[in-house]
């Protein structure tokens, strides 16, 4: 079972390349489901076939659906969200948690990913190809399970106990409404479990690969770099960069201007994404709409059919490791493209809070590192290294 996610800025070609990839897989005899979680659905347009919420077979071996879960659970989710914000406004919540909670994404995106998980678990397909929402939303969404998980472990049990203890008193005083009902705690726990299971699937490089689609223009490339860093921070495996709309050579000033500018961008991209394949997709003379045109796109991306397996598990890239160095431990995290100034690492209780270019990840440390103090950190060779030294006081107290 494999999941291949396509992400990138709006309009760069996510839907086109996701569709072409799914089509190539199906043509190779792999049972494939192509899903769109982008609320701006255009899979149906790219494939030139009407699509809905339930998968339909488009060509032999290729099913497609546009996930539209907006209406299904909206009310329930809003209840949970209101409750969370309510809790925050009552104060007493750690600022980190408060901030994480304010970036809760829209309900559609969460539910769309839950639907992806359900299709994966159902096991009816060999590969799921997912046309994701544009970068920013997808990222926030991918970070959610961990952010919430942290809240649920550290703060939530106390709140629940408190609510339980307070409810009879509040009810007696006629203010039972200020205490959240126990069913909300259950709903929140269920939601958190769901999200954790989504993350487990998506952050397993043996299951999921993320493909970054961009166009060779400085603004787009800059955003793709930020996305890439954030994906690495959260532990998602990017296995391919697709540079779309590459101008073929031409003689007029307009064309050669673009060709030269793109050549510079492509060289920079190859340098900054070193270690990752960067594939170019030429700017076609028409929109690649419909199965035949998309097969042409697949030929450009993956070689003339049947070509190589477009869903092959990439060579293992170790995203994080802990080694010993003398009497110290070194936690290493692969953080390509991050600049030193954009990285901050701080201990918060048993956790390590990493902030990279505005994205925050709360890492629950392995027990041996919890009994250590952070004695240094550096970013070099695209690696973040945080040094830990056993703290004798901490060892004694446990
Ligand atoms: N290489 C290409 N050559 C010509 N047109 C393209 C190419 N890639 C994408 N398009 C067209 O550009 C538009 C946006 O592409 P799309 O795949 O829908 O982007 P996204 O899903 O990232 O918003 C579509 O009309 C698509 O047909
Ligand atoms: Mg799209």
């Amino acid at each position: 079972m494999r999941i291949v996610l396509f992400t990138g800025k709006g309009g760069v070609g996510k839907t086109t390349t996701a569709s072409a990839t799914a089509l190539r897989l199906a043509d190779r005899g792999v049972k494939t489901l192509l899903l769109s979680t982008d609320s701006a659905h255009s899979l149906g347009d790219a494939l030139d076939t009407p699509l809905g919420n339930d998968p339909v077979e488009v060509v032999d071996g290729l099913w497609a659906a546009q996930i539209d879960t907006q209406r299904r659970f909206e009310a329930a989710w809003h209840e949970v969200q209101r409750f969370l914000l309510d809790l925050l406004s009552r104060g007493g919540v750690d600022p980190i948690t408060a901030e994480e909670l304010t970036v809760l994404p829209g309900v559609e995106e969460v539910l769309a990913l839950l639907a992806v998980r359900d299709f994966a678990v159902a096991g009816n397909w060999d590969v799921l190809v997912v046309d994701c929402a544009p970068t920013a939303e997808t990222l926030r969404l991918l970070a959610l399970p961990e952010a919430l998980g942290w809240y649920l472990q550290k703060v939530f049990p106390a709140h629940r106990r408190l609510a339980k203890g307070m409810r009879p008193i509040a009810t007696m005083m006629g203010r039972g409404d200020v205490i959240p009902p126990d069913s909300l705690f259950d709903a929140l726990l269920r939601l958190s479990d769901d999200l954790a299971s989504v993350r487990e699937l998506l952050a397993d490089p043996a299951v999921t690969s993320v493909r970054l689609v961009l166009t060779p223009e400085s603004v787009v490339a800059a955003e793709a770099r930020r996305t890439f860093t954030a994906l690495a921070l959260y532990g998602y495996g990017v296995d391919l960069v697709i540079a779309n709309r590459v101008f073929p050579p031409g003689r007029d000033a307009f064309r050669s201007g673009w060709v030269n500018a793109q050549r510079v961008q492509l060289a920079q991209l190859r340098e900054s994404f070193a270690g990752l394949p960067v594939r170019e997709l030429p700017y076609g003379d028409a929109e690649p709409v419909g199965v035949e045109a998309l097969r042409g796109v697949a030929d450009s991306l993956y070689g003339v059919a049947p070509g190589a397996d477009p869903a092959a598990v990439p060579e293992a890239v170790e995203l994080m490791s802990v080694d010993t160095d003398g009497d110290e431990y070194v936690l290493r995290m692969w953080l390509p493209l991050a600049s030193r100034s954009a990285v901050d690492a701080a201990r918060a209780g048993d956790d390590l809070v990493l902030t990279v270019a505005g994205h925050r990840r709360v890492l629950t440390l392995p027990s041996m590192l919890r009994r250590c103090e952070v004695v240094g950190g550096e970013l070099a060779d695209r690696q973040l290294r945080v040094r830990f030294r056993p703290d004798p006081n901490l060892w004694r107290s446990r």
Side-chain angles (χ1 to χ4, degrees):
M1 168 69 214
R2 290 273 292 150
I3 301 176
V4 184
L5 296 177
F6 287 79
T7 190
K9 223 168 139 62
V12 292
K14 295 178 295 295
T15 302
T16 304
T17 51
S19 304
T21 303
L23 195 56
R24 167 56 62 85
L25 284 161
D27 286 344
R28 287 170 54 94
V30 177
K31 211 175 160 194
T32 305
L33 175 61
L34 174 60
L35 293 168
S36 161
T37 65
D38 190 342
S39 48
H41 287 307
S42 60
L43 266 191
D45 296 332
L47 290 165
D48 203 15
T49 312
L51 293 175
N53 214 14
D54 297 315
V56 290
E57 192 165 12
V58 179
V59 297
D60 260 5
L62 174 63
W63 281 258
Q66 303 187 138
I67 296 173
D68 177 20
T69 42
Q70 242 144 327
R71 275 152 283 132
R72 265 206 285 169
F73 298 105
E74 204 165 37
W77 169 255
H78 279 326
E79 209 182 345
V80 171
Q81 201 173 26
R82 254 201 317 275
F83 154 67
L84 279 177
L85 292 172
D86 220 36
L87 273 186
L88 293 178
S89 71
R90 274 155 220 254
V93 175
D94 183 272
I96 292 169
T97 314
E99 202 181 301
E100 298 287 7
L101 289 175
T102 57
V103 295
L104 286 179
V107 62
E108 320 87 57
E109 298 138 69
V110 175
L111 295 173
L113 271 206
L114 289 178
V116 171
R117 189 265 329 254
D118 290 342
F119 280 121
V121 171
N124 295 330
W125 289 275
D126 302 321
V127 180
L128 261 52
V129 176
V130 188
D131 174 18
C132 280
T135 314
E137 273 90 325
T138 314
L139 272 180
R140 276 194 318 208
L141 176 145
L142 293 179
L144 182 67
E146 229 170 40
L148 259 187
W150 185 78
Y151 165 79
L152 288 171
Q153 269 172 28
K154 304 286 159 83
V155 189
F156 179 83
H159 277 152
R160 185 170 201 162
R161 275 198 306 277
L162 192 66
K164 205 172 173 162
M166 294 294 287
R167 204 171 294 117
I169 304 164
T171 310
M172 223 157 62
M173 293 167 67
R175 291 306 310 272
D177 57 314
V178 299
I179 307 293
D182 215 44
S183 61
L184 266 186
F185 287 95
D186 284 333
L188 195 56
L189 280 183
R190 263 200 312 279
L191 184 69
S192 158
D193 285 349
D194 276 347
L195 294 175
S197 75
V198 171
R199 163 146 176 109
E200 206 176 302
L201 264 184
L202 299 189
D204 178 353
V207 176
T208 302
S209 288
V210 182
R211 296 193 181 160
L212 214 51
V213 188
L214 50 81
T215 51
E217 291 146 340
S218 56
V219 178
V220 180
E223 181 168 330
R225 284 193 191 93
R226 283 193 292 273
T227 305
F228 187 45
T229 302
L231 286 169
L233 173 69
Y234 295 125
Y236 299 97
V238 177
D239 74 343
L240 179 65
V241 175
I242 296 173
N244 188 18
R245 291 183 205 282
V246 176
F247 281 101
R251 243 173 293 179
D252 58 296
F254 174 82
R255 185 79 74 83
S256 53
W258 273 109
V259 169
N260 289 334
Q262 289 195 336
R263 192 181 302 132
V264 173
Q265 285 299 325
L266 285 165
Q268 281 177 12
L269 281 170
R270 289 218 152 74
E271 204 175 303
S272 51
F273 289 105
L276 268 184
V278 178
R279 295 212 188 129
E280 295 178 21
L281 184 58
Y283 209 143
D285 53 12
E287 289 182 305
V289 169
V291 166
E292 274 325 303
L294 291 171
R295 284 197 170 110
V297 170
D299 284 346
S300 297
L301 283 178
Y302 303 109
V304 177
D309 177 5
V313 180
E315 268 177 55
V317 178
E318 198 174 22
L319 295 169
M320 193 160 56
S321 69
V322 180
D323 306 302
T324 50
D325 178 14
D327 55 1
E328 292 178 352
Y329 295 105
V330 185
L331 180 135
R332 278 173 230 268
M333 187 180 228
W334 195 63
L335 275 186
L337 314 184
S339 68
R340 182 186 307 268
S341 59
V343 178
D344 179 63
R347 268 302 279 278
D350 285 349
D351 296 327
L352 185 70
V353 182
L354 285 175
T355 311
V356 179
H359 292 275
R360 179 179 292 125
R361 178 164 182 200
V362 181
L363 279 176
T364 302
L365 292 171
S367 58
M368 66 181 177
L369 294 185
R370 276 180 224 161
R371 291 181 289 235
C372 299
E373 53 177 344
V374 174
V375 290
E378 57 176 350
L379 188 73
D381 307 328
R382 298 161 192 255
Q383 264 192 356
L384 174 73
R385 287 186 276 265
V386 183
R387 310 186 73 82
F388 294 82
R389 190 175 296 146
D391 182 333
N393 297 320
L394 289 173
W395 281 97
R396 261 198 300 277
S397 69
R398 302 224 172 178

